[in-house]
Structures are given as C-alpha cells and as structure tokens.
Amino acid sequence: VPVEKKADLTLPEDASLGDRYNSAFMGTTVTYGRGSGIVVETGMQTEIGLIAEMIQTYEDEQTPLQRRLDQLGRWLGWGALAVCGIVFIQTLIQDTNLSLIFTQGFGTYFAQSREQIIELFILAVSLAIAAVPEGLAAVVTICLALGMREMVQRHALIRRLPAVETLGSATVICSDKTGTLTQNEMMAVRLYVANLRLDVSGEGYQPEGQFAHYGDPADPHDNEDMMELLRGSLLSSDAALERFDEDGEENYHLVGDPTEGAMVVAAAKAGLWRDELEEERPRVAEIPFDSERKRMSTIHRLDEDGRKNGDHGSEYIVYVKGAPDVMLSLCDQLLEDGQDVELTRARYHHIENTIRDLGRGGLRVLAVAHRYLDQLPQEVTAEEIEQRLSLVGLVAMIDPARPEVGPAIERARQAGIRTMMITGDYPDTARAIAEEIGLLRPKGQVMSGAELNEASDDELSERIADIDVFARVSPQHKVRIVETLKDQGHVVAMTGDGVNDAPALKRASIGVAMGITGTDVSKETADMVLTDDNYASIVSAVEQGRIIYSNIRKFVYYLISCNMAEIMVIFLVTLFGSPTPLNALQLLWLNLLTDGAPALALGLEKGEPGIMERPPRPVREPIINRFMVVGIVVQTIAITAAVLTAYYVGLAWYPASPILAQTMAFVTLSTSELLRAYTARSERASLFQMGVFSNRVMQYAVLASVVLLLIAVYVPFLQEIFDTTPLGWEEWGVMLPLIFVPAIVAEVTKALVRMQDRRRKATVATAA
C-alpha cells in the first residue's frame, strides 16, 4: 500500500528501512504528489541493487537427500564391486586346476576353461546387479513426485523436486507474522467508554461474536455510551461489509480499509448496519483521512429522535476517528452516562495510560469523538469542525492469530522444530502475537533490527538460540539470520512475500513464498509456494517431507537387506564348495521381483505413527545409520539361514540332481523377501500396528511378484530357461516355515527396539 515520504525528516543513521520516511527507493512507484530528490546511491548500490547482488552471489546447494544418496551410491558401488570380485576370484580358484596351469600354461587353461570362466563372470556381474538397488533413482523420483501431489492437497506447491524431502529435515522455521501467523484481517477485540469496557469475540470479517465484560456476557445496547461509540465507528468510516453466498452459506467480505473494516464488523455484531443507520443519520459532509491530521471526520443530519436535548436543539452531529494521541489533544470533553462532561486532567491521564497499555499488548488503538452542531458552517474545514470535541471511546484492534497456528507451533516443537518470527512490525506488537500463539518461550527474547545491527557475528551466534522474535528487520538482517543458523548446522525454512525477501529465500535451505500476497520475484526464487499463506501448511508439509524420506529409507533398508542376503547365500555356498544355488538368470529375475513393484509400494506408505514426535534427523546422518546397519545384519543372517537350510535339504534329498535344491533356494529367497517387504513398512511399529492390508498397493505388488515367481517354476518352457523344476507339497512343507523366519525375526527386532525406546523415555522422564 502507498506510504508517505517526508523530505524534512532527520533520522538516525541506523534507522531500519521501514522507518526511513525521508528516503525513496529505486524501483518503487510514485502514486501521488511531486517533488525533487538527491540521488545518494546508483545501480548495484541501491537497496534493490543490493537485493539483486545477494541473489546472484548465492549458488544452489545440494539438499540433504542429494548428499545422502551420493554417499550411499558411492558406498554401494564400491561395496558391490569388492564383494562380487571376491566371489568371482574365490569361485575361480576353487574350480581351477592348478596343475594344468603349471604344466601347460595359463593360455592352455583359459582355452579349455573359457566357458566356465565366462559363466562365473556372468554370475558375478548378475550378483553385482542384484547387489546394487538400481531402482533407487526411479523410486526416489516417484516418491518425490507423488509427495508433490500430496503436498498440493496440503496447500504447499513445490517448485523444485528435492525440496520435498528437505522440508522433512527442517530444524528451524523462520516465519513472517502478517498473513502467515496471523489472518491479515484486523479485528476489534476491545471497546472502551468512560464507564465500561467490553471484550469482543469472533473471527475475521464475519459479523458473529459475543460481547463480554471481564468474562461475563454483556449487551452493548444496555449502555448508551457504548452504542454511541459503535455508531461513531461505523459512520466515520467508508468500509463496507458485503454479503455473498458460497455453497449455500451466507458469508461476508470487506470492501475498504481493513482497519475501518474492523470497526464496521464490531458495529454489525451489535446489530448496527450502515444502510439502516445512514437512513436515520445521513452523511451530509466529510473531511477525508489525511496522514498529516491522522484522522477522518463525517457530518450527519440528526432525525427527531437523535437530536440532542438542551437549550439549543442540534441539527447535526460530527463523528471523528483517528490516532488516539491526536484525538485527545482535540478533546475538551468526555462522554459519560450519555452526557458530555469535562475532560479533567485525571481522566486525561487515565485514558493515556489505557492507550499505552493497549499498545504494549500489541493492539492498535483508534479513538472516536463526536460534536453536535446547530448548523453547518459555510465552509466545512478541519480547522472549523475538528475542535471542542467530546471523546466517546476507544476501539482496540489486532490482526488476530490464525486459530490453527498455535497447535501447529506446538506440533512443530514436539517434532524438534523451532519456530522463529521474523517481521517488520514493531517489537511490542510482535511480542504480543508471539505470546498469544505460544511461539515465545518462557525465556525467549525479542531482538530489534537496531540491536541486530549493533551485534557482532559472534554475539549473534551466541544469542540466537535464545531469540524467538526478530522485529523491525531489513532484507540483509534476514539473510544474516539464515546464515547464522546454517553455520550452526540447522536446516532452515524461511518464509517471505516481497521482492526484498528474495535473497533470504534463496539463501535458506528451503525458501517458502506466499501464494496469495507474494510477489512474482519471491515465488520464482522460492522452493515452495504456500497457496493459503498459512504457517500451519508449512508444518503439514514438513510432516509429508518426513514421510517421503522415511519411505525412501524403508526402500533402501528393504533392498539392501535382501541384496546382502543374496550375496551371502552365493558367497557361503561357494565357500563350502557346493554347486551355485542361483544362476545368473534367476538372480536377475529375483532382482526384478523384489526391486520392482514391492519396493515401489514401500514408497507409497502413508506414514507411520509418531512421525512428528521424533526430532529432526541429524544433517550429517547417512541414510544407512547405525540402527539400520544392525537391522541389515540381522535380516541378512535370517534370510541367508532360511535359504541355505532349504537348499541343503534339497541337496540331501537329491544329491545327484542339484536343480531341485536350486529351485527350493530360489523360491525360498524370493518369497521370504516378498514377506520381508511387509515388515519393512515401518522401522519401529509392528506389522499389526500398521495394518497388514492397509497398503493396498503392496497387496497388488506382492501378488503380481508371486505370480511371476510361480510362472518361472511351473510353466514348462520357462523351466528350461530358468533351470527350475516343479516343487511338490513335500518341498513346500519344508519351505513354508523357513519363508516366515525373516519376517518373524524382523518383528522381534522391532519389539526389542520399542522396548529400548520406552526405557530411554522412562530414563529421560526420571531425570527430568
């Protein structure tokens, strides 16, 4: 909105940008008036030039997920090459006739054993393919893309795919106040007249609410002074409430200034409407609001019922509303019990103290006064009309906090995420809102932009952990706050809506622009756009980001535990000198069954219980952390033991024909891994807590994989291709108990982890 500039002001050198009323900035538009100015900076030295320079100097950084996946890829790549190389060399040495090499040379040996060496090499390559989850990139991309779709439902539009997961890593949310933490709708919450105070409830611009006197219900119609205050508030404003129907429900929207709208809505809650009231007291003249005068006046003709009784019957009444300090200087009377009485010094000081207390509480205060006129002056001027006024009362307003913000902040706090308010508003207003929504901690501090200028980088780094609110800040301040937090290892989400917020949005780990009030520059710079400008949507998006990362972890956890088991099965059997339990084609088919649909189904999990009750994961923590390493080792042992048992039982039954043992090993390994997918749906919650059949995609995925497995075993022409043989009830009787072993071991492991978590919480609670 337009602001007024004054050339004759002298301000301190450290005045914040929002307080520089004597400076015009490059890139802004003159809406009214004329004048000349002195150019003090040009080009990149202007404020908008500094913003452009800050944007250009910041390079895009890898997200936490990208860094973790790079680390995982290197680890898996080298690990797979090393293990498969060992398997190839070990198998080759075991099958090599050393005497032939010594007597006839390596060339002769290679010529005679060429097919065997190639077969071993193909087996090693197949094992390497099975060892590396090559579907990881596809599953990650699909998870992120589906997460973007889910976030749109939560009013968060993601502009860069990796930002979906970055939100789940957030440790600090730096939020603006107006429109994000508050509703951006002024609301009258308290009314004062000489002998009464009324609190007003309600939300937004809906004319629905209750009046109360210190908690007890009250009717403003019982007090004529209060009704006069509401009449004056309504008639001395130009804002209007308009009714409209939405989905069969009656709603209202404001036309005009939000501050005037708050006064109009308060009057409507008492049953006063402009159309009806102006029929009784039509406006005949007005003196518009002026920023120099800081007030507005309207003159109305009184009907017979509204005329004042006294020595002289008054035909007109003047209503004036404006800044309370200015209004007090124009008043020599006070309305009390329906009479205009002298505004004594004691009354004057009492009203001053009331105004000061309201301001400290973060409320914006306007005063309403009136004056009766016997006749209209020939020329309606401010000097003629706005004098010898009688103060009717005070209207205290606030941009109310969004009702969902308080619970969202608490939810973020439970998730280990700290919320900071960074606003251009004054400290008292920011503190009041922060206290109301529970953002300001008991020992939390408020720092102004001027204090921030005086603080060194080291001092800011020491104090920032205790600061919950930064008020009256500039764009450079926002960038400095973000950099300080990032230097301390935080993953920072920063909100913004203006052009001047662009540097901070780009520098933050994830920039969050406002979709309703945001500028095009802020939206283009940001990683995420809030379609409802609501802080609660950020917390909701954080939850979805955590779900996405958790699903990626489940996918990795599941595949690596299965792949390690495949490697160990072949490695141990080869070490024991037995025939290879799986051939290359079986390995590739197995890889297709487990790395495909079941792994993708894990990426579609809706989230497990308590995901927002855990602290943010450490920035440097790899995807495969210590807990997962233990789980992989346990599952590798369980799957390997089950498969080797089935394999050696088959060899014992038919020692001359290893194809039955290989088929039993192939089927046991495949089905146990498919059942393992169910237990991998949560790292801690049991399968029954998650719901065995709650993931519908998992049912289809596992069913399809089982059908493909049975086709390879029981379709005659495929048996020749895959080197399999049909299995009878006797073989299935051996395999079925073994198939369930890895799943049972996984559930027992999770039960032990939950027990350990409960003990840890109990220890912490006892210490507290």
Side-chain angles (χ1 to χ4, degrees):
V1 294
V3 295
E4 186 169 349
K5 298 294 184 178
K6 301 177 182 180
D8 56 351
L9 289 180
T10 301
L11 301 173
E13 290 186 5
D14 61 350
S16 64
L17 290 178
D19 293 329
R20 296 182 190 177
Y21 298 112
N22 58 0
S23 301
F25 300 104
M26 177 183 175
T28 56
T29 303
V30 178
T31 61
Y32 180 79
R34 65 180 65 238
S36 59
I38 300 172
V39 177
V40 294
E41 300 290 355
T42 60
M44 297 300 284
Q45 299 305 312
T46 63
E47 291 300 328
I48 199 167
L50 293 174
I51 292 172
E53 183 179 10
M54 284 190 288
I55 294 175
Q56 293 171 2
T57 54
Y58 298 143
E59 297 181 358
D60 291 333
E61 299 178 352
Q62 280 191 320
T63 67
L65 177 62
Q66 289 171 323
R67 289 193 293 268
R68 292 183 179 103
L69 289 178
D70 285 348
Q71 182 183 25
L72 176 64
R74 287 192 298 269
W75 186 86
L76 288 177
W78 288 111
L81 286 175
V83 172
C84 296
I86 292 172
V87 170
F88 174 73
I89 294 173
Q90 177 191 348
T91 307
L92 185 64
I93 292 174
Q94 286 183 342
D95 294 345
T96 298
N97 189 339
L98 296 178
S99 62
L100 183 62
I101 296 176
F102 289 125
T103 56
Q104 299 184 16
F106 186 80
T108 303
Y109 164 74
F110 182 79
Q112 295 181 2
S113 308
R114 179 180 177 183
E115 291 186 3
Q116 181 185 6
I117 294 174
I118 292 176
E119 184 178 346
L120 290 175
F121 181 75
I122 292 175
L123 177 64
V125 171
S126 302
L127 192 59
I129 293 173
V132 176
E134 66 278 358
L136 178 61
V139 170
V140 168
T141 304
I142 292 172
C143 285
L144 294 177
L146 294 176
M148 289 179 69
R149 186 181 67 178
E150 180 68 25
M151 284 189 176
V152 169
Q153 304 299 321
R154 302 185 182 213
H155 306 289
L157 178 64
I158 302 296
R159 297 187 64 253
R160 295 179 178 85
L161 199 60
V164 177
E165 181 275 335
T166 307
L167 269 172
S169 307
T171 58
V172 178
I173 299 175
C174 297
S175 176
D176 194 7
K177 179 183 75 69
T178 304
T180 307
L181 298 174
T182 65
Q183 300 179 27
N184 200 20
E185 296 178 347
M186 294 299 294
M187 174 181 163
V189 294
R190 196 166 296 166
L191 306 175
Y192 281 89
V193 292
N195 54 8
L196 182 64
R197 161 192 156 176
L198 289 184
D199 296 323
V200 188
S201 65
E203 292 184 6
Y205 296 129
Q206 293 294 114
E208 300 172 356
Q210 303 295 324
F211 294 86
H213 178 61
Y214 292 100
D216 296 326
D219 188 349
H221 293 83
D222 296 337
N223 187 286
E224 180 56 30
D225 295 353
M226 187 63 67
M227 294 304 295
E228 179 68 0
L229 173 62
L230 291 171
R231 280 193 294 266
S233 300
L234 174 60
L235 293 175
S236 63
S237 63
D238 292 325
L241 276 182
E242 292 189 353
R243 298 181 179 92
F244 68 96
D245 291 332
E246 183 178 12
D247 298 331
E249 295 184 3
E250 186 179 73
N251 283 296
Y252 295 81
H253 71 267
L254 175 71
V255 177
D257 179 74
T259 302
E260 289 190 345
M263 306 176 80
V264 171
V265 172
K269 291 175 181 177
L272 299 177
W273 295 90
R274 180 179 300 281
D275 295 342
E276 300 171 359
L277 198 55
E278 287 193 344
E279 286 184 5
E280 302 173 2
R281 302 185 177 192
R283 184 185 297 189
V284 296
E286 69 176 64
I287 304 174
F289 176 82
D290 184 282
S291 59
E292 290 286 344
R293 295 169 34 252
K294 297 183 179 180
R295 57 190 181 273
M296 173 182 178
S297 300
T298 58
I299 305 176
H300 302 263
R301 180 182 289 110
L302 294 170
D303 60 10
E304 289 293 334
D305 294 334
R307 291 181 182 175
K308 182 182 181 184
N309 296 321
D311 296 335
H312 303 283
S314 299
E315 295 284 339
Y316 303 95
I317 187 170
V318 179
Y319 286 115
V320 187
K321 77 167 188 309
D325 53 340
V326 175
M327 295 291 292
L328 273 177
S329 65
L330 300 174
C331 294
D332 56 12
Q333 291 182 305
L334 172 71
L335 181 65
E336 185 174 338
D337 295 328
Q339 300 294 322
D340 294 325
V341 300
E342 180 186 0
L343 182 59
T344 63
R345 183 177 296 275
R347 289 170 174 159
Y348 187 97
H349 289 315
H350 174 72
I351 295 170
E352 269 192 328
N353 292 333
T354 300
I355 294 170
R356 190 178 299 111
D357 291 341
L358 291 172
R360 288 172 179 169
L363 300 177
R364 181 178 183 183
V365 184
L366 288 183
V368 177
H370 71 195
R371 176 189 175 190
Y372 289 94
L373 297 176
D374 294 335
Q375 60 182 10
L376 283 177
Q378 293 182 348
E379 183 178 357
V380 177
T381 62
E383 291 76 12
E384 181 71 25
I385 298 299
E386 296 171 347
Q387 58 174 316
R388 299 192 304 278
L389 301 177
S390 176
L391 184 68
V392 177
L394 305 174
V395 181
M397 292 165 283
I398 195 170
D399 180 7
R402 293 178 181 267
E404 64 273 19
V405 163
I409 288 176
E410 181 58 31
R411 192 175 182 211
R413 187 173 288 134
Q414 290 176 355
I417 303 170
R418 179 180 167 205
T419 303
M420 300 174 66
M421 180 192 294
I422 302 180
T423 178
D425 278 347
Y426 290 96
D428 286 345
T429 303
R431 177 187 290 274
I433 291 293
E435 289 176 345
E436 178 185 350
I437 61 180
L439 185 148
L440 193 66
R441 295 169 295 177
K443 295 183 179 180
Q445 300 176 10
V446 178
M447 176 179 277
S448 67
E451 293 176 293
L452 189 56
N453 284 332
E454 296 175 358
S456 64
D457 291 342
D458 291 339
E459 183 180 355
L460 178 61
S461 181
E462 290 178 5
R463 292 186 56 190
I464 200 166
D466 299 322
I467 300 173
D468 291 334
V469 178
F470 287 93
R472 217 62 184 153
V473 296
S474 69
Q476 289 87 348
H477 291 152
K478 286 190 172 184
V479 173
R480 189 179 174 196
I481 293 167
V482 169
E483 289 180 339
T484 302
L485 290 169
K486 291 182 70 174
D487 288 343
Q488 294 183 352
H490 288 288
V491 177
V492 184
M494 167 68 77
T495 69
D497 54 9
V499 174
N500 56 354
D501 292 325
L505 294 177
K506 190 172 182 66
R507 188 71 184 95
S509 307
I510 178 165
V512 182
M514 302 296 110
I516 299 175
T517 60
T519 59
D520 288 342
V521 173
S522 64
K523 294 175 187 176
E524 287 294 324
T525 307
D527 303 292
M528 182 177 83
V529 179
L530 294 181
T531 58
D532 61 350
D533 292 9
N534 193 340
Y535 168 87
S537 297
I538 303 176
V539 179
S540 182
V542 168
E543 180 182 14
Q544 185 61 30
R546 289 192 172 190
I547 291 173
I548 290 168
Y549 182 75
S550 176
N551 289 346
I552 293 173
R553 274 176 56 90
K554 294 170 188 175
F555 166 79
V556 173
Y557 188 17
Y558 163 65
L559 283 186
I560 292 182
S561 61
C562 295
N563 294 350
M564 288 299 295
E566 295 166 15
I567 292 174
M568 290 305 298
V569 166
I570 294 178
F571 178 77
L572 291 176
V573 170
T574 304
L575 187 65
F576 298 153
S578 302
T580 304
L582 299 170
N583 60 35
L585 200 55
Q586 289 173 345
L587 275 173
L588 295 178
W589 191 250
L590 174 62
N591 196 45
L592 175 65
L593 298 181
T594 56
D595 283 22
L600 180 60
L602 285 174
L604 300 178
E605 284 290 333
K606 297 299 183 182
E608 51 189 287
I611 197 166
M612 287 296 283
E613 297 175 3
R614 307 170 190 165
R617 56 187 176 275
V619 177
R620 300 186 183 279
E621 180 186 74
I623 289 182
I624 305 177
N625 57 13
R626 187 176 302 174
F627 167 78
M628 190 178 287
V629 169
V630 173
I632 289 173
V633 171
V634 171
Q635 278 300 297
T636 299
I637 294 172
I639 297 174
T640 302
V643 173
L644 290 182
T645 301
Y647 177 66
Y648 281 110
V649 168
L651 280 181
W653 285 353
Y654 300 97
S657 178
I659 189 171
L660 177 69
Q662 290 176 342
T663 304
M664 291 178 66
F666 176 51
V667 172
T668 303
L669 182 57
S670 301
T671 50
S672 63
E673 289 185 1
L674 292 177
L675 285 179
R676 163 71 183 135
Y678 282 93
T679 63
R681 292 176 55 203
S682 173
E683 296 180 31
R684 283 176 165 79
S686 72
L687 179 60
F688 302 102
Q689 284 179 291
M690 298 293 295
V692 179
F693 303 107
S694 59
N695 187 339
R696 185 176 299 178
V697 179
M698 180 67 76
Q699 319 311 319
Y700 298 141
V702 171
L703 180 61
S705 298
V706 169
V707 170
L708 290 174
L709 172 64
L710 295 178
I711 286 175
V713 174
Y714 289 100
V715 174
F717 77 91
L718 290 178
Q719 293 171 1
E720 297 180 4
I721 297 174
F722 286 99
D723 288 338
T724 58
T725 185
L727 299 176
W729 291 112
E730 189 175 4
E731 288 82 14
W732 279 105
V734 173
M735 292 188 302
L736 279 176
L738 298 173
I739 288 169
F740 284 93
V741 167
I744 294 172
V745 170
E747 290 302 310
V748 171
T749 303
K750 289 193 286 186
L752 294 174
V753 170
R754 292 195 300 271
M755 188 183 302
Q756 185 177 3
D757 288 344
R758 287 193 294 269
R759 289 176 180 173
R760 187 183 299 111
K761 289 181 180 179
T763 302
V764 172
T766 303

